[in-house]
Amino acid sequence: NTGDEGKAKADLVKAQSAVAAWQKDHKTNSTITFEEADKDLTDAIRQLSWAVGISIGLILLVMLVQFGSLAEPILVLVSVPLGFIGVLLSLYVFQSTLSLNSILGVILLNGIAVANSILLVDFIKRLHDAGRSATEAALEAARKRLRPILITSLTTVLGMLPIALGMGEGGRILQPLGIAVSGGLWVSMLLTLFLVPALHVSYLQSRSQSTAWRIRIPSFRWRKSLSIFVLFFLVPSSSQAASFLEAVKKIVDRNPAVGIQRATVNQVSDRNMSSRLGWLPTLSLEASHSKSGSYGLTSTRQGVNGNANLNLFKFGADAAAISAAGSEVSAQEKTLEDLILRTESDAIRSIVTLIQSEMEAETIRDIFKTREEALKIAKERYQRGLLAAQEVEKFAVDLDNARARLSDAEMTIASSQAELESLLGDTEVAREWPWKNIFTKKKFDSFEVQKRPDWQAASLKIEAARSRRNEALGKLFPSLDLGLSYGYFRSTGLSEFSGAEWRGQIGLSIPLFDKFENLGNYRALTEGVHIAELELEKVKRAAKSESDSARKTFEIAVSTAQLRDKTLESSRRVYADNLARFKKGLVSANDLFLDQDRLRDSQINQIRGWASAHTAFSKLCQSNGLHLETCLN
């Protein structure tokens, strides 16, 4: 009776006592044993339960080695309990049992469910490491990994369907296994697609620097907004704001000029491939068929021939071409690096401009609220006969002026948002000064200007120009070449021959008159070397000037920003004291207006001070040829 399973142990004790009493009363020579009917089944289930735990442990160990951290493997393993939910739900719906076969199905399910989760977590991690925000990475991963996850899950579910339906003789025995795998995988897949990305985004948010102020760039399309809502409905978290470095990296990746220069590097490398491989022999394969006649007699010749031509000596023209090719490619790579540095500097300027305009608007908004409060107090004092109507009118006028300044600030924000949105796209940027503490605690004085990419690119262009000039010079002198050929020929008619034939020759080429093409090219390239040297001198002067100017500007900007912090603290104390006195009627409206304007100016000056410090820092890094992250470290 399944209803009495809970009493089994107590009833067993009673049965043993009853049998012992019977044996005592009857004194018969009998042997009675008690056996647990499902002992083997219980032991097997216990062993399989251990197998489930060991399988999860092995999966975790493999992922720890792969990801190199604990967070991502734990996020991946979220799919395992989701699979358990699906197993229990499917067994209940199809009125099956949690048996040996169903637990075996759980072990099979773990590997498949974890594979689906790995597809999401790994892709999100790679996108986020590439500079995408957590939100964008999750959306992109869910979109691009949906099809592989569906294919993997559907093929497994359909493959298990005959077992889940109990088809065939003895199919009922394995039916719980099929139900566990099919139902568990289906539920796990549906929940994994939503819960794993949401938890991953929540983890990335908590890992990044928390900030109370954020800038939100509008114009999310309704489909993306709906996707974000569906994706995060299981996790109560706010939208992720990209950090300063994330935003800068994304702007660099989105810049068409950077993409064009990357393509130019590849183009120059491909174009110079023949110069780099100029020392290799030229190989060719020829097939020929000729027919000739003389005095009524004809002859034919057929053959297949392989040729190899090797340069022995060209007065260094080939070596110069190889050197020039390498220098030209390296110069383009340094030009790309310089463009990235300048793009980073422009990106920081755009981000700082938006942050500055947002913070200034917030300051003006606070002043507007205080003016509203002051006007309310003034009206109350006027009604009590403590203030003249003219004074109340001054408060009203001042409030209108604050409203106008707020409107101007909001228009500035809209303009800054439009500029940054064209560079960054639909995303958010943390509204903060991220390197404020670094500026006040660290000195930046170990720069080497000669390592600037534009300086190195100009030097490489000189090397390339000199190598091209030497290549042209080598072509003015004789060259020595080795030619080898081997083939099979067959001729009939005037001369009969059939068989293999080889030839070898050494040729000396002496240029006599080529319409002065090589000479003109050499003289033009000589002038090109002179131009490249002048360009390097120009870059050197500009680099030293920019570096010195950027260093002084940065030092002044940081010291000024620190001074403005102190001024702001003093202005806040003065205003707080006078506001309290104004409420008591001890300070006039004009004095309060002056305090408000002083506080507003101090706040705006403080914001502009740190904005200038961040912009000056980006210019300092760029003028010394350092990427932002390298400069910070």
Side-chain angles (χ1 to χ4, degrees):
N1 186 354
T2 56
D4 293 334
E5 287 180 355
K7 304 176 183 179
K9 291 184 179 180
D11 288 345
L12 178 61
V13 173
K14 291 180 182 179
Q16 289 172 339
S17 300
V19 170
W22 183 85
Q23 285 180 319
K24 183 178 180 181
D25 293 340
H26 293 78
K27 298 184 185 299
T28 58
N29 189 16
S30 61
T31 301
I32 300 175
T33 60
F34 294 84
E35 293 184 0
E36 186 180 352
D38 56 352
K39 184 177 184 301
D40 293 338
L41 178 62
T42 303
D43 291 341
I45 290 177
R46 186 181 300 111
Q47 291 172 3
L48 280 178
S49 299
W50 276 101
V52 172
I54 293 173
S55 69
I56 295 174
L58 291 175
I59 291 171
L60 177 61
L61 179 62
V62 171
M63 288 189 296
L64 284 174
V65 176
Q66 176 66 29
F67 287 104
S69 65
L70 184 60
E72 283 82 5
I74 291 177
L75 289 169
V76 169
L77 288 179
V78 169
S79 60
V80 173
L82 299 180
F84 290 162
I85 294 173
V87 169
L88 297 176
L89 185 62
S90 58
L91 290 175
Y92 175 77
V93 170
F94 292 98
Q95 298 181 354
S96 187
T97 58
L98 188 61
S99 59
L100 289 176
N101 288 326
S102 59
I103 295 178
L104 183 60
V106 170
I107 298 176
L108 298 175
L109 172 65
N110 287 344
I112 305 171
V114 164
N116 290 339
S117 187
I118 288 174
L119 287 175
L120 284 172
V121 171
D122 180 65
F123 202 67
I124 293 173
K125 183 177 184 297
R126 282 193 285 135
L127 290 176
H128 189 261
D129 291 342
R132 300 284 189 92
S133 67
T135 302
E136 289 183 329
L139 289 172
E140 187 72 11
R143 191 161 47 242
K144 288 191 175 181
R145 286 295 178 256
L146 176 61
R147 181 177 295 177
I149 290 175
L150 283 176
I151 292 174
T152 303
S153 301
L154 286 175
T155 52
T156 305
V157 169
L158 293 176
M160 282 288 180
L161 192 58
I163 299 177
L165 295 176
M167 298 174 63
E169 187 176 353
R172 290 285 181 178
I173 299 175
L174 294 177
Q175 188 175 21
L177 185 146
I179 293 175
V181 175
S182 301
L185 183 58
W186 189 253
V187 174
S188 174
M189 178 195 68
L190 294 178
L191 294 180
T192 297
L193 285 171
F194 292 98
L195 188 57
V196 170
L199 289 175
H200 202 161
V201 170
S202 182
Y203 158 69
L204 293 175
Q205 288 176 343
S206 62
R207 191 183 68 176
S208 62
Q209 295 181 351
S210 60
T211 175
W213 288 354
R214 287 177 179 154
I215 299 171
R216 180 175 179 81
I217 300 179
S219 76
F220 269 79
R221 301 192 179 187
W222 70 270
R223 286 183 295 180
K224 182 173 284 189
S225 301
L226 181 60
S227 300
I228 292 175
F229 173 76
V230 172
L231 183 63
F232 299 114
F233 78 96
L234 290 174
V235 178
S237 60
S238 59
S239 56
Q240 170 71 3
S243 67
F244 226 86
L245 287 176
E246 289 175 339
V248 171
K249 289 178 181 178
K250 184 172 181 181
I251 290 174
V252 172
D253 291 337
R254 287 169 52 89
N255 189 354
V258 174
I260 291 172
Q261 184 58 32
R262 286 196 177 106
T264 301
V265 172
N266 296 331
Q267 184 183 48
V268 173
S269 178
D270 294 339
R271 185 184 298 151
N272 284 313
M273 186 178 296
S274 60
S275 296
R276 287 181 166 182
L277 303 178
W279 55 274
L280 292 175
T282 301
L283 303 177
S284 62
L285 181 65
E286 298 177 353
S288 61
H289 176 83
S290 61
K291 188 173 183 179
S292 60
S294 176
Y295 303 105
L297 299 176
T298 60
S299 64
T300 60
R301 180 180 174 87
Q302 300 172 344
V304 178
N305 188 44
N307 302 310
N309 295 312
L310 179 63
N311 154 245
L312 296 179
F313 183 72
K314 286 190 177 180
F315 260 91
D318 283 356
I322 294 172
S323 176
S327 298
E328 287 173 356
V329 174
S330 299
Q332 291 296 331
E333 291 174 344
K334 291 299 179 181
T335 301
L336 171 62
E337 187 176 350
D338 181 63
L339 178 60
I340 291 175
L341 291 178
R342 296 182 184 278
T343 304
E344 285 184 351
S345 182
D346 293 340
I348 293 173
R349 179 192 58 77
S350 298
I351 297 171
V352 166
T353 300
L354 180 55
I355 293 176
Q356 177 183 340
S357 61
E358 284 277 349
M359 288 186 173
E360 289 184 5
E362 189 67 27
T363 299
I364 297 173
R365 195 173 290 113
D366 292 339
I367 295 295
F368 177 76
K369 291 179 180 178
T370 58
R371 294 292 167 88
E372 282 186 321
E373 183 180 356
L375 178 59
K376 182 179 179 181
I377 295 172
K379 289 181 178 179
E380 292 176 353
R381 295 179 65 185
Y382 170 73
Q383 292 175 355
R384 289 184 293 170
L386 301 177
L387 197 67
Q390 186 178 6
E391 296 296 323
V392 176
E393 187 176 358
K394 289 180 180 179
F395 276 91
V397 171
D398 197 64
L399 178 63
D400 291 338
N401 290 333
R403 183 181 288 108
R405 285 193 294 269
L406 181 59
S407 298
D408 293 340
E410 290 174 345
M411 286 190 291
T412 303
I413 291 174
S415 176
S416 302
Q417 285 179 338
E419 178 184 357
L420 185 58
E421 188 176 359
S422 65
L423 300 174
L424 191 59
D426 295 332
T427 186
E428 298 174 349
V429 181
R431 181 183 171 185
E432 60 181 356
W433 300 128
W435 310 313
K436 184 176 179 180
N437 294 331
I438 298 177
F439 295 163
T440 57
K441 296 179 181 178
K442 187 175 180 181
K443 291 186 177 180
F444 300 88
D445 54 2
S446 58
F447 297 119
E448 298 180 19
V449 185
Q450 62 271 22
K451 291 185 178 181
R452 281 177 47 139
D454 57 346
W455 189 317
Q456 294 178 339
S459 301
L460 288 167
K461 288 179 180 178
I462 292 178
E463 295 178 10
R466 288 172 179 170
S467 297
R468 290 300 181 192
R469 179 193 61 186
N470 294 337
E471 180 187 4
L473 178 62
K475 293 180 179 179
L476 292 173
F477 297 96
S479 63
L480 194 64
D481 298 291
L482 172 65
L484 297 173
S485 65
Y486 182 83
Y488 180 86
F489 297 95
R490 181 173 180 273
S491 61
T492 58
L494 296 176
S495 62
E496 299 287 339
F497 175 78
S498 178
E501 182 180 83
W502 69 272
R503 294 179 183 178
Q505 62 182 20
I506 294 179
L508 178 65
S509 300
I510 302 175
L512 296 177
F513 181 69
D514 59 355
K515 298 178 288 188
F516 298 105
E517 181 179 353
N518 288 331
L519 179 61
N521 191 28
Y522 169 74
R523 295 178 63 178
L525 292 173
T526 301
E527 292 299 324
V529 173
H530 182 57
I531 293 173
E533 291 172 344
L534 293 177
E535 286 290 338
L536 176 59
E537 183 63 26
K538 178 182 175 182
V539 170
K540 285 182 178 180
R541 295 182 182 181
K544 292 179 179 178
S545 175
E546 286 180 13
S547 178
D548 294 340
S549 175
R551 185 189 302 276
K552 293 177 182 177
T553 302
F554 174 68
E555 292 173 353
I556 294 172
V558 172
S559 60
T560 302
Q562 291 174 319
L563 180 61
R564 292 178 181 184
D565 280 345
K566 297 178 181 178
T567 303
L568 178 58
E569 292 178 4
S570 301
S571 298
R572 283 173 175 166
R573 285 196 301 268
V574 171
Y575 176 72
D577 293 340
N578 286 343
L579 180 59
R581 297 179 65 192
F582 173 75
K583 292 179 179 179
K584 297 177 181 178
L586 302 177
V587 175
S588 67
N590 289 332
D591 290 338
L592 185 64
F593 288 161
L594 292 175
D595 291 336
Q596 287 178 339
D597 291 338
R598 186 184 300 113
L599 176 60
R600 181 199 66 198
D601 292 340
S602 299
Q603 289 176 320
I604 291 178
N605 286 334
Q606 187 252 12
I607 293 169
R608 291 176 179 176
W610 286 113
S612 299
H614 281 71
T615 304
F617 177 70
S618 69
K619 193 64 179 177
L620 176 65
C621 297
Q622 182 257 319
S623 65
N624 288 278
L626 294 176
H627 290 283
L628 200 55
E629 287 186 276
T630 306
C631 197
L632 287 170
N633 294 328

